[in-house]
Amino acid sequence: MELFWAFGLFRLLPEFRRLEAEHQEHLKEELSALLARFRGKGGFLRAYSLVGLSAEADLLLWQGAQDLEALQALRREMHRTRMLGYLEARALFLDRG
């Protein structure tokens, strides 16, 4: 079965680090819960920390799905989270294979 693949790179904005630790945790939990929901829907989804590995990005989201709509659905839902206000999209790579 052929899948569409998306690799999204995000950089954490400095404003996030200025938030209270409890608020930071709440925002991270909100995004984590969303990613867990999407993992349960099938397809492929992994999140990796790039902290200390890249000056350009702090988070890598690797997603595979049977159609582009599924890739877009995750992005739509991510834009509804408060955490995305503290993440800057640095790059998005798409592939089919």
Side-chain angles (χ1 to χ4, degrees):
M1 172 190 333
E2 192 170 273
L3 294 177
F4 289 93
W5 295 97
F7 296 88
L9 296 168
F10 299 88
R11 184 175 71 89
L12 191 62
L13 297 176
E15 292 86 350
F16 180 81
R17 291 181 178 89
R18 294 185 196 114
L19 297 173
E20 299 274 334
E22 185 177 319
H23 189 55
Q24 288 179 5
E25 285 303 312
H26 181 70
L27 295 173
K28 290 188 284 186
E29 287 169 5
E30 178 188 29
L31 182 60
S32 181
L34 171 68
L35 296 177
R37 273 198 323 272
F38 268 82
R39 265 190 219 105
K41 292 183 178 183
F44 179 88
L45 179 62
R46 297 291 185 274
Y48 296 98
S49 171
L50 299 177
V51 173
L53 300 175
S54 169
E56 296 296 317
D58 298 303
L59 174 66
L60 165 67
L61 287 182
W62 179 16
Q63 185 183 11
Q66 292 180 358
D67 54 60
L68 290 174
E69 290 79 20
L71 297 179
Q72 292 170 320
L74 174 61
R75 285 301 178 104
R76 261 193 317 275
E77 291 299 315
M78 283 179 62
H79 280 283
R80 293 185 177 128
T81 68
R82 289 170 287 165
M83 182 68 189
L84 210 67
Y86 296 99
L87 288 172
E88 176 185 42
R90 300 295 292 170
L92 175 63
F93 301 98
L94 296 172
D95 190 21
R96 185 174 180 181

